Amino acid sequence: AALALLGGSAAAVVVWKWLGKRQIQKKMEEARRTRDEGVKKMAKVVQQFREQVPSVQTDAILSLPLLELTRRLREGSLSPKTVLYTYVEKALEVTQQTNCLRHFIPECEEQLQEIQRQEEKGLLYGIPISIKDHIGHKGHLSTCGLVQCLGTVVQEDSVLVKVLKSQGAIPFAMTNVPQSLFSYDCSNPIFGQTLHPFNPQKSPGGSSGGEGALIAGGGSILGIGSDIGGSIRLPSSFCGLCGLKPTAERLSQWDPGRDVCSRPAPVPGATGPMARDVDSLALCMKAVLCQEMFRLDPTVPPLPFDEKVYSSSAPLRVGYYDTDGYFPLPPCMQRAVQETRGALQAAGHQLVPFSPPRIHYVMTELFLKTFFADGGRAWLDVFTGGVVDPSLKSQVNGYKIPRLGKKLLALILKPLQFLLFLLNLKNVATISTCRSVKEMWNHHHEIQAYRTEFIARWKELQLDVVLCPVLGPAFTTGYPGKLLTAISSTMLYNVLNFPAGVVPVSTVTEADEEELKLYRGCCDDPWDRTLKQAVAGAVGLPVAVQCVALPWRDELCLRFMKEVETLSREK
């Protein structure tokens, strides 16, 4: 009888698990079906518009820079309706190639009517914009690529979306992200893998990868992403866009859609713009840094955009480095810094060698410890029903091993670097956790102490800004999950909470590809060899640099980015 009872209980558990999995599968299928129906509806609306207005100069509209497009919309030579449907049509084409959209926003048609009722034309009047999956828009999901978020519809627009709408912008699409946002690839089990718009073998980067693919493919002129380790800057680097991670508190973080994906941390996440040129980023910042945002979110310092700083042409004192000494980047990324340094010097700016202190310590003790202070338990909790994207499997499995087990494995396998690499345990095993509240306070203090040390070094050299590398060129899909620590170049400025932006300055040449064959990285270990494989076959893809300023000097960061962009275009 006992055996029969035991057998019955085991069978019940198996059935219960199977039903749970079946329910999860149904939820995922439903989400995909809703998305596909939305795409079909939008395609129908575009077709109807095309029949009503057959003479639209699509290519001419899509080729206009943002500043010129806003001018024409404001003067009335182009109508918001024409511009919206032109971009919707292009977005349909781009997502067919790249799978970059998570959902169209059908309420864009209501917003189209709303802006025509506004007394004053805002700075972004009639501009269609795309927003990253987790940025809250009323009536829509904010999924982070997670099954547990599929049932909860956002009840209110985030402050940023409200402000963009008040400035006349029309949010029309939400873009795809990697599962949990903690990856710089762009794949999740619900909506699948997003591909690079110029090379389907490559990743657009992440976590704002859907934005990167859509904007670079021409399906959006302005997008809003977020960045907690490089998530605006890496897709911008991979896709050849300009992207700004502002000082975190400069823009409102209030967002009902972000509860699951974000946790308060001493390393703050930032929301910021992505576009095809620096002027577009500046216009977006000018539009959102307005009284309406300061009114809706009193925690944002009421600092309007400083046009004088952005349009200044005074020579700058620029610190520079082409490697942070932690994860040496491919030759083309170092070349980009050296060429940009030369161009800035020739243009009359003062260039000073700069070396960021103790990056290994920052990466393991400050950055990763912030997110995995609890040994990764909070992160593991978001993977409902064990549905994990293949790109995250090795990391998730690594964090499931008890702390002592990880330490022992790391010790035993230390001589066998390749096995450590295969199990993705090098990073996992070396991450310290905070085992008490006191240790957590100490951790917060260490971050503050490092910021103080970094600023002291910056001031000692009397720098205005810093020029440095960014990870790139675009990785082959699947590789970002194997190389979490390769993001040291961007992660540093999240820990410091400095504004940092990315500007494309070149493309990968045949000579770069030849030089890559000689790349040995730091110690020619499996991680260095994997980086080499990840970026191989990138001839013609964008190569970017990173521009940095001190906290709250976002306009100076943009001004420096504009200078770099102008010089690279002249070249």
Side-chain angles (χ1 to χ4, degrees), residues 94-113:
V94 177
T95 199
Q96 213 168 3
Q97 295 162 356
T98 63
N99 186 36
C100 59
L101 286 191
R102 197 213 80 205
H103 205 63
F104 275 111
I105 300 172
E107 294 88 342
C108 63
E109 297 186 74
E110 290 165 28
Q111 175 65 0
L112 192 58
Q113 305 307 315

Side-chain angles (χ1 to χ4, degrees), residues 132 134 144-146 177-187 206-208 226 228-231 234 261 267 363 367-372 376 379-380 382-383 389 391-393 395-396 399 427-428 431 480-482 484-485 487 491:
K132 187 175 178 177
H134 70 91
C144 304
L146 296 164
V177 291
Q179 190 181 25
S180 84
L181 308 185
F182 203 77
S183 166
Y184 60 100
D185 205 337
C186 193
S187 171
S207 60
S208 311
S226 62
I228 201 163
S231 292
L234 295 169
C261 307
V267 174
M363 193 71 200
F367 181 72
L368 290 171
K369 192 172 178 177
T370 291
F371 295 99
F372 300 109
W379 185 58
L380 290 175
V382 304
F383 298 98
D389 193 76
S391 65
L392 288 175
K393 272 212 164 115
Q395 282 176 48
V396 167
Y399 284 107
N427 314 323
V428 173
I431 294 169
K482 300 173 186 178
L484 176 61
T485 48
I487 63 167
M491 161 285 309

Side-chain angles (χ1 to χ4, degrees), residues 175-315:
T175 51
N176 202 28
V177 291
Q179 190 181 25
S180 84
L181 308 185
F182 203 77
S183 166
Y184 60 100
D185 205 337
C186 193
S187 171
N188 66 70
I190 307 162
F191 302 107
Q193 171 81 50
T194 299
L195 304 174
H196 196 287
F198 310 141
N199 181 337
Q201 267 70 56
K202 296 285 180 181
S203 166
S207 60
S208 311
E211 282 302 321
L214 182 64
I215 301 166
S220 173
I221 196 166
L222 179 64
I224 305 295
S226 62
D227 189 311
I228 201 163
S231 292
I232 285 172
R233 290 161 292 160
L234 295 169
S236 297
S237 166
F238 284 19
C239 294
L241 300 173
C242 297
L244 174 72
K245 177 202 82 67
T247 310
E249 300 83 357
R250 192 75 198 266
L251 300 183
S252 173
Q253 301 289 321
W254 188 87
D255 189 339
R258 288 172 77 170
D259 295 346
V260 176
C261 307
S262 62
R263 287 182 167 79
V267 174
T271 307
M274 296 166 71
R276 298 195 290 250
D277 56 51
V278 180
D279 276 340
S280 301
L281 306 181
L283 178 63
C284 182
M285 290 297 283
K286 196 186 299 184
V288 293
L289 292 170
C290 63
Q291 290 310 314
E292 181 67 357
M293 183 168 70
F294 308 143
R295 183 185 70 78
L296 288 169
D297 187 349
T299 66
V300 173
L303 298 171
F305 189 83
D306 192 334
E307 184 60 50
K308 199 173 156 197
V309 170
Y310 180 61
S311 51
S312 162
S313 55

